[in-house]
Amino acid sequence: MWTQRIKTGLVTTTAAAALLLLAACGPSPSPSGTSSAPPTSSTPSASTPSASATSNPPSPTATTAPSPSATATSAAPAAPALCKAASLTAATDATGGGAAGSIYEKLILTNSGTTPCILEGFAGVSLTADANGEPIGEPATRETTTPVTKIELAPGKSAWAEIRYTQAGNYGDCTKTPAAGFRIYPPNDTASLFIPEPHDACSNAGIKLLTITAFQAV
């Protein structure tokens, strides 16, 4: 009987050893950190729209309306400048006659330039010894009964004012001095024109032989 038990134990032990050997030779188990799921395809599913398909459509290009300042417009013409002596000619017309020792003449200024100019107000008028001489006596007094108007003189056009010359002989205390003509200063100008027209002037102050009105359109 003892021999029988030993044989049975040996068989059992041999079988157990064989099982252990088979287990050692079999495939090792997968590491616990490795997923056994099949790899996911990188191709997007047909049911999932791509990013480009789900993005908002591009907005139309904004059209910027031109600002009023960018609109091409023709520049407004510049206003005419004041008439100056360099672009004027001067003359007198004595057909106005005279009365009570006075002579009435028209002082005529003509635009001799190539562009329009503005004449407005009163000329400065004095009797002078010559074209370059100093004024003799008092300058003309302004006669304000004629209203001042703005006159645009086109090239070749004229305007006129009235000069009244009172005879020097009407003044007993006049120191008579011969004058060669009139020195004319256009309104708002420091340059002058000369009109040769001999008259007696009074060289002493206080005697006013001349008056001048504002210019009027012809």
Side-chain angles (χ1 to χ4, degrees):
M1 179 178 293
W2 177 252
T3 303
Q4 182 70 29
R5 287 180 179 178
I6 292 173
K7 290 180 178 181
T8 302
L10 289 173
V11 170
T12 301
T13 302
T14 302
L19 288 175
L20 290 173
L21 182 61
L22 289 173
C25 295
S28 61
S30 301
S32 60
T34 304
S35 173
S36 62
T40 303
S41 172
S42 60
T43 304
S45 171
S47 61
T48 304
S50 64
S52 61
T54 57
S55 62
N56 293 329
S59 59
T61 302
T63 302
T64 304
S67 61
S69 60
T71 304
T73 55
S74 57
L82 295 176
C83 297
K84 299 294 183 179
S87 60
L88 294 170
T89 58
T92 55
D93 180 358
T95 58
S102 296
I103 299 172
Y104 291 88
E105 298 181 282
K106 285 183 177 180
L107 168 62
I108 302 168
L109 295 184
T110 302
N111 182 359
S112 59
T114 58
T115 58
C117 63
I118 298 297
L119 194 66
E120 182 179 13
F122 298 85
V125 181
S126 297
L127 289 166
T128 184
D130 54 49
N132 299 312
E134 294 296 323
I136 301 172
E138 298 284 345
T141 301
R142 293 180 177 182
E143 174 57 69
T144 58
T145 56
T146 301
V148 173
T149 58
K150 182 181 289 186
I151 305 166
E152 182 174 331
L153 287 185
K157 297 300 182 180
S158 303
W160 67 277
E162 185 176 73
I163 295 176
R164 185 184 71 180
Y165 165 74
T166 302
Q167 299 286 353
N170 292 347
Y171 299 89
D173 57 346
C174 170
T175 303
K176 289 184 180 181
T177 303
F182 295 112
R183 173 73 60 78
I184 308 296
Y185 292 87
N188 303 299
D189 196 2
T190 56
S192 64
L193 302 163
F194 179 72
I195 300 174
E197 187 176 315
H199 289 288
D200 284 334
C202 295
S203 60
N204 46 324
I207 299 177
K208 298 182 181 294
L209 301 181
L210 303 173
T211 62
I212 185 74
T213 66
F215 280 99
Q216 305 171 55
V218 173

